[in-house]
Amino acid sequence: MPVGTQGTVKTVGSEDLERLGFQLVLSNTYHLSLRPSADIVEKLGGLHKFMSWKGAILTDSGGYQVMSLAHMRKITEEGVSFKSHLDGSEHFMTPERSIQIQGQLGVDISMALDVCPPYPCTRDEAAEAMRLTHLWAPRNLAARPESQAVFGIVQGGVHEDLRRESADFVTGQPFDGFAVGGVSVGEPTEMQRPVVKLTTPLLPVDKPRYLMGVGHPRDILHAVACGIDMFDCVLPTRMARHHALYTLKGRVNAMGKQWAEHDGPFDEGSQFPQTERYSAAYVRHLFKAGESLALRLATLHNLAFYARLMSEIREAITDGNWPDLLKRYKDA
Amino acid sequence: MPVGTQGTVKTVGSEDLERLGFQLVLSNTYHLSLRPSADIVEKLGGLHKFMSWKGAILTDSGGYQVMSLAHMRKITEEGVSFKSHLDGSEHFMTPERSIQIQGQLGVDISMALDVCPPYPCTRDEAAEAMRLTHLWAPRNLAARPESQAVFGIVQGGVHEDLRRESADFVTGQPFDGFAVGGVSVGEPTEMQRPVVKLTTPLLPVDKPRYLMGVGHPRDILHAVACGIDMFDCVLPTRMARHHALYTLKGRVNAMGKQWAEHDGPFDEGSQFPQTERYSAAYVRHLFKAGESLALRLATLHNLAFYARLMSEIREAITDGNWPDLLKRYKDA
């Protein structure tokens, strides 16, 4: 899932995402509920119509943004009170309210409101976050209209016993899919993979398994090998805006001097129809000149890289040539 | 001509300009010669290949930017010395050098280096600028390789006798087309139209007549009625970046509250295939949220408006229904 926090995958249009072959985008309950507001999006026919996106949409619950962006937040068993980072207005988010907002947005997959503590956190903090996540799980489900899919989220930090307890509890609830939450929240990669390896096999194989916020191409390959089906990550789009382009040989700096007279693409192995008419020298020039077309072309490049990665992953699973794929992406 | 100063029409790609139906874009000798440099563009196969534009390209001579952007400029009969606004490096621009650079860029139409005094200027300043422009005119032509078209520029400020003298001299030179220069340099509209009305009929009808830097839709209609064939103007792209959108009812502010829940386009009469999938409410939301897709969609809207204006002008001339066209655009 490309990330379209404010109802737009930064710098590109829905027609671009269609051409790139994406099936699902992620958008954000917290941001959209504050601006333009769930009422307005609903009145305008829902988020699909608002952003003119014919594919599917998943929204996160807003819980993570309340923790990372909002001011004056206070968590109780009832929900989270906070002040908007935009205008200081006061809000109270509950599982019921989150599911209701996601219903107003009219998305295909809504995420249960959980508590996701940022890294680093103590074992006690991880346990308390898990306790509230479990307390809220049935309330998310009870608030769901019949037509709305809701995914549950497993918490538990980096602690094996908590992860097992959380997976056990959450998968016991009638969610439509399950997510591994609480990873990619600032922890080092070497702490992330064991959590994914431990938690993923605890989730049922007959429902979508979603790893939130991951990630690097090789982390995605690792997680798929563990059984993960779905990902969202800001990396391809965010890195593009910082002139970091994904190639099979790793990320390259599009402003590097080596591209100044380079008439070909950044990666001979990754020529994409969306960007192939522009040389690396031209994209570098646009970045140097501060031209916003640079951000668009770099974003299209990285999204195309990820779209191809996911497409090749699906092929490798079907064709049984996983080792070849790992070899192809070993430096990515 | 959409304006692509740095080898890019801001926020959009060449594929967008193709779809919009433009045949010619303007780019800039001063900017490109400083960054990435004429040598690099030449080495990369010329400006068409560099910006991946299959249509035609006209470059201005760089004279105007030297006057308005560069530092420490000094004009002599030989040429203009100046320091780059980017890095302070010292340069010397002459008619020969300007034509040579435009040749390296490989453009279809190059403009003669002239002296264009910014408004306001005294009669003496206007006369001196004209004198140098005339002195340089044959030098521009002498420097031209056979394959390179060069347009001459008529100066003379707002003074009828100087304009007549300049048109007389410049049209006596074997240029491939003629431009009315020295307008749209800061003067009020009511001072611009008389100059266009006076000067245009003094130019030969069997060569292209180009009004530099104009302009507003109604100024374009006025100039076409005077006999002008070609225009360049930053207005559609620059205004878009300031959320000002052209409609048949005049320019509207895309951030205005009236669009907050407006599910249709900004102008019922100007639905364009490039932008029609997005509502005014969505574009307003993107501007409010600081999303760069807003700049792209607004630019596509305004370019589509101008592309249609020029297309309808051509039709009206052929079909003889000019009065209807004036009526249609009376509020634009």
Side-chain angles (χ1 to χ4, degrees):
Chain A
M1 284 176 265
V3 173
T5 301
Q6 309 201 82
T8 163
V9 175
K10 286 183 189 298
T11 80
V12 303
S14 296
E15 64 281 10
D16 299 308
L17 300 173
E18 281 166 14
R19 274 200 301 272
L20 287 160
F22 287 105
Q23 301 164 323
L24 183 59
V25 300
L26 177 142
S27 195
N28 190 271
T29 299
Y30 171 83
H31 284 96
L32 291 173
S33 69
L34 296 180
R35 182 177 55 199
S37 85
D39 288 347
I40 283 186
V41 174
E42 183 179 29
K43 195 179 281 186
L44 290 167
L47 188 54
H48 290 83
K49 183 148 184 272
F50 186 56
M51 63 187 287
S52 186
W53 171 242
K54 289 161 195 147
I57 301 175
L58 176 150
T59 33
D60 55 17
S61 66
Y64 184 70
Q65 283 71 29
V66 167
M67 295 301 146
S68 57
L69 285 178
H71 305 303
M72 303 282 289
R73 56 192 174 267
K74 197 180 158 210
I75 307 181
T76 64
E77 290 194 351
E78 179 56 24
V80 195
S81 64
F82 65 93
K83 288 192 176 179
S84 160
H85 74 293
L86 295 177
D87 61 5
S89 58
E90 290 180 29
H91 300 267
F92 190 61
M93 182 68 89
T94 61
E96 293 80 8
R97 178 82 184 116
S98 175
I99 295 296
Q100 185 214 332
I101 293 172
Q102 295 180 77
Q104 285 187 281
L105 298 175
V107 302
D108 303 281
I109 302 172
S110 51
M111 298 301 297
L113 186 69
D114 63 339
V115 177
C116 176
Y119 176 88
C121 77
T122 65
R123 187 190 155 87
D124 281 354
E125 287 167 338
E128 174 62 7
M130 184 187 78
R131 186 182 73 83
L132 288 170
T133 296
H134 294 182
L135 192 68
W136 292 353
R139 286 171 54 193
N140 281 289
L141 284 166
R144 157 180 70 169
E146 205 159 301
S147 63
Q148 190 172 335
V150 182
F151 282 18
I153 303 173
V154 174
Q155 289 290 347
V158 295
H159 311 283
E160 181 173 340
D161 58 332
L162 297 184
R163 282 284 170 185
R164 287 190 185 279
E165 182 184 340
S166 188
D168 188 51
F169 179 86
V170 174
T171 61
Q173 302 284 319
F175 284 112
D176 303 295
F178 296 96
V180 181
V183 295
S184 198
V185 289
E187 79 285 2
T189 291
E190 61 269 23
M191 296 182 71
Q192 178 190 111
R193 290 198 183 181
V195 173
V196 175
K197 200 170 173 183
L198 164 72
T199 312
T200 311
L202 304 175
L203 309 179
V205 297
D206 59 344
K207 290 191 174 173
R209 293 180 286 186
Y210 163 31
L211 179 57
M212 303 179 80
V214 172
H216 293 281
R218 279 173 296 150
D219 290 339
I220 287 180
L221 288 164
H222 171 266
V224 168
C226 295
I228 292 290
D229 303 303
M230 296 169 56
F231 300 88
D232 77 282
C233 191
V234 294
L235 274 178
T237 44
R238 180 177 293 165
M239 285 295 131
R241 299 196 304 281
H242 292 91
H243 43 88
L245 299 190
Y246 287 87
T247 79
L248 290 175
K249 289 171 185 161
R251 265 193 331 234
V252 301
N253 177 4
M255 287 179 88
K257 213 179 162 89
Q258 74 269 33
W259 309 116
E261 302 182 15
H262 189 83
D263 195 21
F266 287 97
D267 187 348
E268 296 303 331
S270 59
Q271 191 66 303
F272 305 116
Q274 289 74 23
T275 54
E276 70 184 354
R277 65 187 291 168
Y278 301 107
S279 65
Y282 184 65
V283 175
R284 176 182 188 266
H285 164 69
L286 296 178
F287 269 116
K288 285 274 179 188
E291 289 284 353
S292 75
L293 183 60
L295 308 181
R296 172 172 161 81
L297 295 181
T299 300
L300 288 172
H301 174 101
N302 280 355
L303 285 176
F305 182 91
Y306 270 73
R308 192 186 54 182
L309 168 66
M310 300 316 293
S311 161
E312 292 184 358
I313 283 174
R314 287 189 288 268
E315 277 169 33
I317 291 171
T318 311
D319 302 350
N321 53 5
W322 189 254
D324 292 347
L325 188 74
L326 290 184
K327 207 170 153 191
R328 177 163 156 80
Y329 282 91
K330 71 179 170 22
D331 300 318
Chain B
M1 283 176 265
V3 173
T5 300
Q6 308 201 85
T8 163
V9 175
K10 287 186 190 296
T11 81
V12 303
S14 296
E15 64 280 10
D16 298 308
L17 300 173
E18 282 166 13
R19 273 199 301 271
L20 287 161
F22 287 105
Q23 301 165 322
L24 183 58
V25 300
L26 177 142
S27 195
N28 190 272
T29 299
Y30 171 84
H31 283 96
L32 290 173
S33 69
L34 297 180
R35 182 177 56 200
S37 85
D39 289 348
I40 284 186
V41 175
E42 183 179 29
K43 196 178 281 183
L44 290 168
L47 188 54
H48 289 82
K49 182 149 184 271
F50 186 56
M51 63 186 287
S52 186
W53 170 243
K54 291 160 194 145
I57 301 175
L58 176 150
T59 34
D60 55 18
S61 66
Y64 183 70
Q65 283 72 28
V66 167
M67 295 302 146
S68 57
L69 285 177
H71 305 303
M72 303 281 289
R73 55 192 175 268
K74 197 180 158 209
I75 308 180
T76 65
E77 289 192 352
E78 179 56 22
V80 194
S81 64
F82 64 93
K83 288 191 176 179
S84 160
H85 74 292
L86 295 177
D87 61 5
S89 57
E90 290 180 29
H91 300 266
F92 190 61
M93 183 68 90
T94 61
E96 293 80 7
R97 179 80 185 117
S98 175
I99 294 297
Q100 185 213 334
I101 292 172
Q102 295 180 77
Q104 285 187 280
L105 299 176
V107 301
D108 303 281
I109 302 172
S110 50
M111 297 302 297
L113 186 68
D114 64 338
V115 177
C116 176
Y119 177 88
C121 77
T122 65
R123 186 188 156 89
D124 282 355
E125 288 166 339
E128 174 62 7
M130 183 188 79
R131 186 183 74 84
L132 288 169
T133 296
H134 293 181
L135 192 68
W136 293 352
R139 285 171 55 194
N140 281 288
L141 284 165
R144 156 180 70 170
E146 205 160 302
S147 63
Q148 190 172 334
V150 182
F151 281 19
I153 302 173
V154 174
Q155 290 290 347
V158 295
H159 311 282
E160 181 173 342
D161 59 331
L162 297 184
R163 283 283 170 186
R164 288 190 183 277
E165 182 185 339
S166 188
D168 189 51
F169 178 86
V170 175
T171 61
Q173 302 283 319
F175 284 112
D176 303 295
F178 296 96
V180 181
V183 295
S184 198
V185 290
E187 80 284 1
T189 292
E190 61 269 24
M191 297 182 72
Q192 179 190 109
R193 291 198 181 181
V195 172
V196 175
K197 199 170 174 185
L198 163 72
T199 313
T200 311
L202 305 175
L203 309 179
V205 296
D206 59 345
K207 291 191 173 172
R209 293 181 285 185
Y210 164 29
L211 179 57
M212 302 179 80
V214 172
H216 293 281
R218 278 172 297 150
D219 289 340
I220 287 180
L221 288 165
H222 171 265
V224 168
C226 296
I228 292 291
D229 304 302
M230 295 168 57
F231 300 88
D232 77 281
C233 191
V234 295
L235 274 179
T237 44
R238 179 176 293 164
M239 285 295 130
R241 299 196 304 281
H242 292 90
H243 43 89
L245 300 190
Y246 287 87
T247 78
L248 290 175
K249 290 173 184 159
R251 268 197 325 238
V252 301
N253 177 4
M255 287 178 88
K257 212 177 163 93
Q258 75 270 33
W259 309 116
E261 301 181 17
H262 189 83
D263 195 21
F266 287 97
D267 187 348
E268 295 303 331
S270 60
Q271 190 66 305
F272 305 116
Q274 289 75 23
T275 53
E276 71 183 355
R277 66 187 289 168
Y278 301 107
S279 64
Y282 184 65
V283 174
R284 176 184 189 265
H285 165 69
L286 296 178
F287 269 115
K288 285 275 179 188
E291 289 285 353
S292 75
L293 183 60
L295 308 181
R296 173 173 160 79
L297 295 181
T299 300
L300 288 172
H301 173 100
N302 280 355
L303 285 175
F305 182 90
Y306 270 74
R308 191 185 54 181
L309 168 65
M310 300 316 292
S311 161
E312 292 184 356
I313 284 174
R314 287 189 289 268
E315 277 169 34
I317 291 171
T318 311
D319 302 349
N321 53 5
W322 188 255
D324 292 346
L325 188 73
L326 290 183
K327 205 171 155 192
R328 177 164 155 80
Y329 282 91
K330 71 180 171 18
D331 301 318

